[in-house]
Amino acid sequence: MPSTAYLAAVLAIVFAITLALRAVPFAVLRTLRGSAIVRQLSAWMPVGILAILAVTALHGTIVAEPRATLYALLAVAVTAGVHLAFGRRTILSVGIGTAAYVVLVNAF
């Protein structure tokens, strides 16, 4: 069994590395705040992440239950419509789209 001093040293090193890895991006971002690249990334990354999640979820749905493909596509349309109609509120649109999918799958 390792000594207490050894374990404390390991924990201190792990803490320092974790803190540094979490703090460095914010320190670098402060200097890049005015950059055009950072502005573009802040606009497009959320859209890209949601698109990847949607494609993954739709693929899983289509493979698992082909009958629900139409329901999934309708729910995507509802999600996009709500997103555009209500001021691009992501949580609201994803929540209503998910609820629409659940209702469609369970009602029909």
Side-chain angles (χ1 to χ4, degrees), residues 16-60:
I17 291 172
T18 302
L19 182 66
L21 287 174
R22 304 226 187 260
V24 166
F26 290 103
V28 171
L29 185 62
R30 186 176 305 141
T31 60
L32 295 175
R33 187 70 63 185
S35 169
I37 293 173
V38 172
R39 264 194 313 272
Q40 288 293 324
L41 286 174
S42 70
W44 289 103
M45 278 186 70
V47 174
I49 290 168
L50 284 175
I52 290 169
L53 288 171
V55 168
T56 303
L58 286 174
H59 179 266

Side-chain angles (χ1 to χ4, degrees), residues 1-94:
M1 179 80 182
S3 69
T4 304
Y6 176 80
L7 292 175
V10 167
L11 286 174
I13 292 168
V14 168
F15 174 77
I17 291 172
T18 302
L19 182 66
L21 287 174
R22 304 226 187 260
V24 166
F26 290 103
V28 171
L29 185 62
R30 186 176 305 141
T31 60
L32 295 175
R33 187 70 63 185
S35 169
I37 293 173
V38 172
R39 264 194 313 272
Q40 288 293 324
L41 286 174
S42 70
W44 289 103
M45 278 186 70
V47 174
I49 290 168
L50 284 175
I52 290 169
L53 288 171
V55 168
T56 303
L58 286 174
H59 179 266
T61 298
I62 292 168
V63 169
E65 192 167 343
R67 178 184 68 84
T69 301
L70 178 62
Y71 303 144
L73 294 175
L74 285 171
V76 168
V78 167
T79 302
V82 169
H83 189 72
L84 295 173
F86 292 103
R88 299 180 184 265
R89 294 188 177 129
T90 304
I91 301 235
L92 179 67
S93 58
V94 169

